[in-house]
Amino acid sequence: MAASHKEITAAEVRAAVESAYEKVRGATGGKNADYIPYLASVDPSLFGISVCLLDGTVISAGDARCTFGIESVSKVPTAILAMREYGALGVLEKVGADATGLPFNSIMALLLEKDRPSTPLVNAGAIAACSLVEPVGDAEGKWATIVGNIAELTGAEPQIIPELYASESANDFNNRSIAWLLRSYGRIYDDPDMSLDLYTRQCSLGTTAEQLAVMGATIANDGYNPVTNRQVFDAELAPRITSLITTVGFYERTGDWLYKSGIPAKSGVGGGVLGVMPGMFGIAAFSPPLDEAGNSVKAQLAIREVMHELGLNIFAASRLCICECRPTEERS
Ligand code: GLU
């Protein structure tokens, strides 16, 4: 028997977001990342959720417009950028698409798989992706491309958080080792120090849960940003980036996350999580305290709550869709 189709209204999404916010806001546990000193100083009580539907409706609760460090979520847009410039197969060949099963900043992973950094969504592959960005050899030109790409995906021009950039640059010894190991294996495609600096800069960009939800919606919408009404990247790249997010978005806890949540998502040590429900919506949540694998405790709970409330799971047989009824009443 064919799976039944269920429609979900914007009003139901709003109810799910508000209910998730209320249920999760008092949750405790986890602690801010402290290996980057700036992150330890961020208010741990901040908490926001945002969903962007494919008609451009944005539904948020809590601190969804609060700026925080994008950190590893920045690996997603730069992976898209590398695909835009080199094609999906080019990125597969130059960087790879496999999960490491090891922590995001693992040197061991690189030693074990020296032929490929494995995926642009862990540090080694993300530094390699920054090295690929055009124009090769021109740090400021590359930076403008990286920032411009994020602006197209979110609909907002991101700004560096200077204290975060300084804090991260002063403590990047592990990542520096990764950049130079990549160099010794011939898996970095521009100057290693410059590529590392671009990576550190992109991790230090400020973003908001609402902006990440719009980026998620753009991916869920085959590269078409539903807020700016612009085609940002080729539709054929959307399932590729979602597959990368699916396999490694929660570092070595990705399997547990998918099993529990039913949605591909990418986390960052700044406390942000970006989720993609293809054909339906983008979702993001932010709260600084992290679990031991570096994933935001409340952001995980909040996204799981929304998925649960809506009865959604990407691995379920029924193809669900958001109906476009009452978009004006629901637009926030
Ligand atoms: N800039 C951080 C690092 O390279 C990002 C880590 C993360 O968010 O996973 O360690």
Side-chain angles (χ1 to χ4, degrees):
M1 193 173 73
S4 61
H5 288 221
K6 182 177 163 193
E7 289 193 338
I8 294 176
T9 65
E12 286 172 314
V13 174
R14 182 180 301 281
V17 166
E18 286 171 0
S19 157
Y21 180 74
E22 288 308 323
K23 282 192 179 137
V24 174
R25 66 190 298 190
T28 54
K31 78 184 207 3
N32 288 29
D34 55 10
Y35 76 101
I36 299 169
Y38 169 85
L39 295 177
S41 71
V42 178
D43 179 356
S45 70
L46 292 169
F47 172 46
I49 317 174
S50 187
V51 173
C52 179
L53 307 182
L54 301 196
D55 65 358
T57 303
V58 177
I59 296 167
S60 302
D63 302 309
R65 291 189 177 161
C66 170
T67 299
F68 61 90
I70 189 171
E71 292 296 347
S72 260
V73 183
S74 67
K75 290 166 174 149
V76 172
T78 301
I80 292 171
L81 179 57
M83 287 184 205
R84 289 173 77 177
E85 294 182 338
Y86 295 83
L89 290 179
V91 169
L92 181 66
E93 194 253 308
K94 290 180 182 308
V95 182
D98 253 340
T100 62
L102 289 166
F104 59 89
N105 55 1
S106 175
I107 291 175
M108 180 69 75
L110 193 51
L111 293 171
L112 291 171
E113 286 211 49
K114 55 175 82 124
D115 56 328
R116 288 203 295 189
S118 79
T119 162
L121 299 196
V122 297
N123 287 17
I127 296 166
C130 286
S131 79
L132 282 171
V133 171
E134 305 277 1
V136 171
D138 172 3
E140 291 320 308
K142 286 164 80 102
W143 179 240
T145 314
I146 288 169
V147 170
N149 178 59
I150 294 174
E152 285 186 82
L153 289 163
T154 61
E157 187 84 25
Q159 305 293 326
I160 281 204
I161 302 172
E163 307 92 304
L164 178 54
Y165 176 52
S167 187
E168 198 149 342
S169 300
N171 292 279
D172 67 351
F173 311 112
N174 189 85
N175 286 342
R176 204 174 302 175
S177 310
I178 289 174
W180 282 96
L181 260 183
L182 287 169
R183 173 72 183 79
S184 78
Y185 296 147
R187 303 306 303 192
I188 196 160
Y189 308 97
D190 206 336
D191 179 76
D193 288 328
M194 182 225 280
S195 305
L196 172 62
D197 181 57
L198 289 167
Y199 167 75
T200 309
R201 280 201 243 178
Q202 74 173 25
C203 286
S204 307
L205 286 169
T207 192
T208 69
E210 285 195 354
Q211 290 165 11
L212 292 185
V214 175
M215 189 192 301
T218 303
I219 298 168
N221 202 23
D222 281 349
Y224 186 87
N225 184 324
V227 172
T228 61
N229 290 308
R230 302 277 296 268
Q231 188 73 38
V232 180
F233 60 87
D234 283 352
E236 63 171 4
L237 300 180
R240 313 288 193 165
I241 187 64
T242 307
S243 82
L244 294 179
I245 294 170
T246 308
T247 48
V248 76
F250 271 68
Y251 315 118
E252 70 273 35
R253 294 284 176 274
T254 304
D256 289 357
W257 164 257
L258 282 174
Y259 190 89
K260 292 190 288 191
S261 70
I263 180 170
K266 179 76 197 86
S267 78
V269 294
V273 175
L274 155 76
V276 178
M277 198 63 191
M280 300 186 77
F281 56 70
I283 182 169
F286 156 63
S287 166
L290 312 177
D291 65 17
E292 73 292 344
N295 301 309
S296 168
V297 172
K298 278 193 195 174
Q300 291 182 73
L301 286 173
I303 293 175
R304 284 177 57 199
E305 271 295 327
V306 171
M307 294 295 287
H308 179 79
E309 284 281 323
L310 295 173
L312 297 179
N313 189 314
I314 195 173
F315 302 112
S318 56
R319 194 71 196 107
L320 309 176
C321 62
I322 301 280
C323 54
E324 291 184 355
C325 56
R326 301 186 3 220
T328 43
E329 288 101 304
E330 298 303 330
R331 198 175 292 271
S332 57

